[in-house]
Amino acid sequence: MEAPSLLAYDRDHINELLNALAQLDEQVGQPVPKRRLNGGIVGIEIAPERVVETGRFLRDVLGFEMLSCISGVDMIEHLESIYEFRSISRNWLVQMRVKTPSNDPRILSLVSVYSSANWLERETYDLYGIHFEGHPDLRRMLLEDDFEGHPLLKSFRTTPAVVHDRATTQVDAVRAVSGEQQRGQERVVLKRLGQGQQERIHPGMTTFGNEAVFLETGQGVGSDANAMHGYTIDEQYLDPAAKPQEE
Amino acid sequence: MATDTHADTASYFEDASGLRSEEMILNMGPQHPSTSGVLRLVLTLDGETVIQCTPVIGYLHRGMEKIFENRPYIHGARYIDNADYLNPMINETAYVGAIEAIMGIEPPRRAQYIRLLVSEMARIASHLVAIGTYGLDLGAFTPILWCFRDREGLMDLFESLSGHRFTHNYMRPGGVVHDFPRGWMQQCEEWLDRFEKVSIPELHELLTGNEIFDARTQGVGYIDPQQGVSFGVTGPNLRASGVVFDLRVAQPYGAYREIAVRPQVRQEGDCFARYMVRMQEMAESVRLCRIALEKMPGGSISQRVPLALRPPRGEAYYAVETGRGELGIYMISDGSEYPWRAKIRSPSFSNLQILPELLRGNKIGDVIAILGSIDIDLGDVDR
């Protein structure tokens, strides 16, 4: 059985869209590369600083009401942001490709034209580090705020380069029996934790904001008064205001 | 003094008798019974009125897109089940559809019909959860039990077809894995008969005519059509606002080119309309399943496609209509065994974005009613 002729896959329908997109050349001021993609989609390529006027033109003149999807792509030499615009009334789909250099990725934000761009751009910023200029609230979307790096970049390592022993406050049973735990003094190190550091916090450990207290065993340093309590605190990690004043 | 720094806002909250009130910030979630997953809403309240709502998402982020890039193509077809875990069959259809579009192949006609059949069954299962939990959110306990009873029949059918109840791993590039077991089509027809004759009227009786349900949902949470389109809302949420947009009709894929879908549309745009669109779509899906079973062509269920897949260089954006809206897979192949990029355009993520607009100015009691009517799936939001 022959598949019926479809609106979206119809050749005339796509030619109509290509003709309509010809007006875009005048708008942008230079010929816009256009190509046909799989599934009745037409792809165009736009410079990062022309994004807003192109978006406004697509919405107001050609009737693309919906910005459906923004997808970042890491092509090593450059980053790309792929926009899918959908026209519900005319049943068109246009894919806009914007290239931006990897070392300083910047694209104008489309939030002023399409409301849906808000979260979509935040997600792309989160995962690829592309800065959308003019975005009202460019924060991370899916990852936590203190995450370091942009994980969908090809240069992002999925496993840490070096895995250290897990820092823990628990007494190691083997060491306690052999007497090591008592012999060496335990040292409390106050460290600022952030993503990208190899240390892992013990699941049962109390943390205060970003800071965690590590208990390390080893040769002790510090005064005898602190040694009585079984630990010393590295002075460089102490808040000077919190240090007791010497009389 | 703290009150001095807020002198201008204090006058705003001062009423005629000189009594003062302040804004209150309420954290709803991340663990909340009505959010089918982990979603945190930071609500700024003036008395009982919501002034502002900030959704905080990402608690269920698993980095699926990164995982796809580091696995062979075929692994992604299984893992995408967990994205929108309430209709895994449709997710798989989208993922393998993108691979097929890059390779330029088309599955045999029988495979396309099977895909349509299981997609519509998955849509019913997804809507059953949506309606059941929505009733639960609004204080009706019976609907979820009856919905899950009916859904269990579908799960059994999926299990005997694919071997798994929940994450089916049923689609492959070029077709599907298994043909129907003996007697499966008969069982499916029996389920459809029972569902249409007994279950749908029962659900209507429980919820549609229910006075409390009507009062909680009618006229609440209006989505303006233009606003909805601008925010990228799709699926039943948009069709309940009078926009006729259904990808099965607009850009039909697979067997939808031969079986015409009647898109279910309502004009009211409130929570009740969104509920009713889902009810109507279940009846429509039953009709489509019947047609697919009746017209089920013979022949092969799959093309011969190598398991260690190396699609040619290229890219594709393949969009399907799930129970929640437009699910698009944007895939780039560099000719190797691993996809260079596989982006999930998830419907729940886009649908959730309009929530702050809907909640503004509503009473806090309506927050659950509106959130439930959007029918998000946090696995789909966070991916």
Side-chain angles (χ1 to χ4, degrees):
Chain A
M1 182 180 157
E2 203 181 72
S5 156
L6 302 171
L7 203 55
Y9 293 74
D10 201 344
R11 192 185 300 150
D12 292 345
H13 192 69
I14 295 179
N15 285 338
E16 208 179 297
L17 172 56
L18 282 169
N19 290 337
L21 282 173
Q23 304 171 45
L24 195 60
D25 297 353
E26 300 163 22
Q27 185 74 19
V28 176
Q30 60 195 28
V32 176
K34 304 177 197 66
R35 60 201 182 111
R36 288 165 190 233
L37 306 172
N38 287 328
I41 307 174
V42 172
I44 56 175
E45 197 176 319
I46 296 290
E49 61 274 10
R50 300 285 187 189
V51 165
V52 174
E53 55 183 291
T54 309
R56 195 162 283 142
F57 175 81
L58 286 175
R59 185 191 66 178
D60 296 339
V61 180
L62 298 188
F64 284 87
E65 305 100 340
M66 188 189 279
L67 169 58
S68 183
C69 172
I70 298 180
S71 164
V73 181
D74 184 3
M75 299 303 276
I76 310 289
E77 308 93 47
H78 60 269
L79 295 179
E80 287 179 2
S81 183
I82 316 273
Y83 300 70
E84 315 279 346
F85 295 98
R86 201 177 267 291
S87 167
I88 292 173
S89 51
R90 303 189 195 178
N91 203 5
W92 281 336
L93 189 59
V94 153
Q95 188 180 87
M96 182 170 87
R97 179 180 298 264
V98 180
K99 288 181 183 171
T100 176
S102 292
N103 49 9
D104 185 25
R106 285 178 191 285
I107 298 176
L108 286 183
S109 168
L110 266 178
V111 177
S112 56
V113 189
Y114 293 94
S115 309
S116 59
N118 192 327
W119 280 23
L120 296 172
E121 286 177 354
R122 272 179 67 188
E123 188 197 344
T124 313
Y125 161 73
D126 190 358
L127 303 177
Y128 280 94
I130 298 175
H131 286 268
F132 289 92
E133 292 177 334
H135 192 288
D137 184 25
L138 198 62
R139 287 180 293 126
R140 286 190 178 272
M141 187 85 242
L142 296 170
L143 302 168
E144 59 264 44
D145 289 340
D146 56 355
F147 194 91
E148 281 178 16
H150 300 282
L152 275 182
L153 293 175
K154 294 285 178 187
S155 56
F156 187 89
R157 300 179 70 96
T158 45
T159 49
V162 184
V163 181
H164 288 264
D165 284 342
R166 194 162 63 181
T168 173
T169 54
Q170 302 292 314
V171 174
D172 185 352
V174 180
R175 285 182 157 190
V177 170
S178 67
E180 261 181 81
Q181 193 89 37
Q182 286 80 22
R183 227 177 17 246
Q185 274 185 339
E186 289 153 348
R187 197 157 57 94
V188 176
V189 185
L190 200 63
K191 278 187 179 173
R192 195 173 171 75
L193 280 187
Q195 283 289 332
Q197 285 184 323
Q198 279 81 30
E199 290 91 346
R200 295 280 182 273
I201 314 170
H202 189 270
M205 201 169 141
T206 325
T207 58
F208 301 96
N210 271 341
E211 292 181 337
V213 177
F214 281 93
L215 199 63
E216 291 180 353
T217 56
Q219 294 303 313
V221 279
S223 64
D224 292 344
N226 281 332
M228 279 169 64
H229 296 103
Y231 62 84
T232 57
I233 294 177
D234 256 14
E235 291 200 346
Q236 54 169 322
Y237 293 113
L238 279 180
D239 185 8
K243 211 164 78 175
Q245 296 293 318
E246 287 181 19
E247 290 168 7
Chain B
M1 296 290 285
T3 46
D4 291 339
T5 56
H6 298 294
D8 48 339
T9 48
S11 61
Y12 171 74
F13 290 106
E14 203 168 317
D15 65 1
S17 60
L19 287 173
R20 272 189 181 176
S21 63
E22 282 182 2
E23 285 180 8
M24 187 173 91
I25 291 182
L26 181 73
N27 258 306
M28 189 183 133
Q31 275 81 31
H32 191 275
S34 77
T35 55
S36 82
V38 267
L39 166 71
R40 177 170 154 224
L41 298 177
V42 183
L43 300 167
T44 311
L45 303 173
D46 172 19
E48 283 198 11
T49 312
V50 179
I51 305 174
Q52 204 188 346
C53 162
T54 313
V56 181
I57 63 172
Y59 293 96
L60 217 55
H61 182 61
R62 291 149 288 179
M64 280 192 154
E65 292 164 10
K66 187 76 176 177
I67 290 172
F68 289 157
E69 289 175 10
N70 296 312
R71 300 280 186 282
Y73 279 90
I74 206 88
H75 292 196
R78 155 63 188 83
Y79 193 42
I80 201 168
D81 282 345
N82 291 35
D84 184 355
Y85 43 77
L86 290 176
N87 38 29
M89 281 294 191
I90 310 183
N91 296 353
E92 289 178 22
T93 313
Y95 187 87
V96 300
I99 300 174
E100 284 163 1
I102 292 177
M103 297 176 73
I105 60 173
E106 186 130 315
R109 218 165 137 244
R110 182 174 174 85
Q112 293 187 7
Y113 268 73
I114 295 176
R115 282 184 185 178
L116 183 142
L117 176 64
V118 294
S119 293
E120 292 306 321
M121 286 162 67
R123 193 182 315 278
I124 296 174
S126 164
H127 284 345
L128 278 175
V129 176
I131 289 163
T133 52
Y134 193 40
L136 197 62
D137 292 345
L138 298 180
F141 192 70
T142 319
I144 193 166
L145 300 175
W146 292 15
C147 285
F148 269 72
R149 176 200 62 193
D150 294 331
R151 187 167 175 272
E152 207 50 42
L154 281 175
M155 293 289 115
D156 289 345
L157 286 170
F158 282 143
E159 187 180 3
S160 63
L161 183 60
S162 67
H164 307 265
R165 288 181 78 244
F166 206 57
T167 48
H168 307 303
N169 191 11
Y170 185 59
M171 307 288 174
R172 291 286 183 278
V176 297
V177 186
H178 309 291
D179 210 331
F180 300 128
R182 190 180 301 148
W184 192 88
M185 289 167 91
Q186 180 67 30
Q187 284 173 21
C188 188
E189 268 168 24
E190 282 165 13
W191 187 91
L192 290 171
D193 286 342
R194 191 185 180 284
F195 183 69
E196 193 179 34
K197 291 207 182 73
V198 182
S199 303
I200 291 184
E202 271 179 356
L203 276 177
H204 273 301
E205 216 168 286
L206 271 179
L207 287 174
T208 313
N210 187 316
E211 208 171 311
I212 303 171
F213 186 78
D214 285 2
R216 290 291 307 272
T217 54
Q218 287 191 357
V220 176
Y222 173 70
I223 295 183
D224 181 68
Q226 257 107 37
Q227 194 190 25
V229 168
S230 172
F231 270 95
V233 176
T234 47
N237 296 328
L238 190 61
R239 289 195 285 278
S241 294
V243 181
V244 192
F245 176 61
D246 189 327
L247 281 171
R248 295 173 291 170
V249 180
Q251 298 194 333
Y253 48 91
Y256 290 109
R257 285 173 285 186
E258 297 173 18
I259 300 179
V261 181
R262 293 189 292 233
Q264 304 300 314
V265 181
R266 285 182 85 89
Q267 303 296 328
E268 297 92 341
D270 56 1
C271 295
F272 186 74
R274 293 195 276 280
Y275 156 77
M276 277 307 283
V277 164
R278 293 197 181 96
M279 290 297 282
Q280 294 170 6
E281 278 192 0
M282 289 201 299
E284 170 70 10
S285 291
V286 169
R287 190 185 71 88
L288 294 171
C289 285
R290 286 237 176 80
I291 296 176
L293 282 171
E294 193 184 315
K295 292 170 70 178
M296 183 64 68
S300 158
I301 55 161
S302 184
Q303 275 200 16
R304 290 182 70 83
V305 174
L307 208 58
L309 208 58
R310 285 172 186 271
R313 294 171 73 94
E315 57 176 313
Y317 180 75
Y318 191 82
V320 302
E321 182 85 19
T322 76
R324 292 175 173 73
E326 175 187 350
L327 170 70
I329 303 290
Y330 177 66
M331 192 178 275
I332 299 180
S333 162
D334 64 338
S336 72
E337 277 183 46
Y338 308 102
W340 183 260
R341 175 80 169 110
K343 155 88 184 169
I344 308 170
R345 186 268 185 220
S346 73
S348 301
F349 182 79
S350 296
N351 290 353
L352 183 61
Q353 194 178 170
I354 203 174
L355 188 71
E357 303 292 321
L358 295 185
L359 292 186
R360 191 171 295 136
N362 274 298
K363 297 286 184 215
I364 189 166
D366 288 335
V367 169
I368 302 295
I370 295 171
L371 177 63
S373 75
I374 302 279
D375 182 28
I376 48 162
D377 180 337
L378 268 298
D380 200 21
V381 173
D382 295 341
R383 302 185 295 281

